[in-house]
Amino acid sequence: MPRAGLTPDRLVAAAADLADEAGFERVTLSALARRFGVKDASLYTHVRNLKDLRTRMALLAGGEMIDRIAAAVEGRQAGRDTLAAFAGAYRAYALEHPGRYAATQIPVDQDLLTGSPAMRRTADITYGMLRSYGLEEPDLTDAVRLLRSTFHGYCALESNGAFGAPRDLQASWDRAIDALHALLLNWPREERSPDA
């Protein structure tokens, strides 16, 4: 019998909170069971194992993050304004919710991603923003990878206090957005074969 009050959603939300408080790697089924005052075995009614729990955390956090990004970009004009809003929401989420954000970086089964409304929404918003720069495949995928790498790298270094120079972090971030905007405007298009 499932313990009264425990549901998969409550467990995943509690795991996400624990990740923000203690770090993603410290989220275990034992730690979560202690939080609820139950034995580890009680959790297996709701999640299959630690991998299942962490996958659910990744999907939860991904949904929260894209909700924040969608709210930030809504009603904005294309171009730098939208890129800055998108990037700012990404950075704010990563810094405010480090454990949740770490969950969004784990590999998740492609079938789960394809079936997730939040992940489809993420693709729609991200690719829509980049299409406003006139990009098409395969340049779209390359641009997504560049943005993700840049945003993630900056946020990871910032959250670890790894930027030692006295230059203001927001000023550097703004310059990075300016540089990305300029690059996207002048993206080196991949040559397509005439029969493509």
Side-chain angles (χ1 to χ4, degrees):
M1 286 288 295
R3 186 178 177 88
L6 283 186
T7 65
D9 288 346
R10 279 195 70 205
L11 289 176
V12 173
D17 290 342
L18 179 59
D20 282 342
E21 295 162 17
F24 178 71
E25 292 304 321
R26 301 193 110 168
V27 175
T28 63
L29 291 172
S30 294
L32 194 56
R34 283 193 299 275
R35 182 163 278 218
F36 282 98
V38 299
K39 297 200 179 300
D40 295 12
S42 302
L43 304 187
Y44 289 103
T45 304
H46 308 285
V47 293
R48 288 188 301 277
N49 50 37
L50 183 59
K51 181 180 178 185
D52 180 39
L53 175 66
R54 289 183 170 176
T55 297
R56 290 172 187 241
M57 289 170 60
L59 295 173
L60 169 73
E64 291 175 348
M65 191 172 189
I66 197 55
D67 285 348
R68 186 177 287 199
I69 289 169
V73 302
E74 185 176 8
R76 294 188 180 269
Q77 298 300 316
R80 191 200 182 283
D81 188 42
T82 302
L83 176 63
F86 184 108
Y90 182 108
R91 179 179 174 218
Y93 188 86
L95 297 177
E96 292 167 23
H97 298 288
R100 282 171 158 83
Y101 176 71
T104 67
Q105 302 306 307
I106 66 168
V108 174
D109 182 89
Q110 197 59 44
D111 289 340
L112 289 175
L113 291 178
T114 302
S116 166
M119 296 307 110
R120 284 195 302 274
R121 189 170 183 222
T122 299
D124 289 345
I125 291 171
T126 306
Y127 280 76
M129 176 184 66
L130 291 171
R131 282 190 187 96
S132 74
Y133 285 96
L135 298 181
E136 298 175 8
E137 289 296 2
D139 297 320
L140 274 172
T141 295
D142 295 339
V144 167
R145 289 174 178 171
L146 173 68
L147 292 185
R148 184 177 179 200
S149 300
T150 303
F151 299 162
H152 175 69
Y154 197 98
C155 293
L157 290 166
E158 182 178 4
S159 66
N160 288 326
F163 291 127
R167 170 84 163 149
D168 177 68
L169 289 174
Q170 184 62 45
S172 294
W173 177 260
D174 291 341
R175 295 296 288 151
I177 301 307
D178 288 342
L180 288 169
H181 174 61
L183 184 142
L184 290 168
L185 285 173
N186 298 285
W187 189 267
R189 266 55 172 193
E190 182 171 300
E191 292 292 326
R192 290 175 179 77
S193 63
D195 57 333

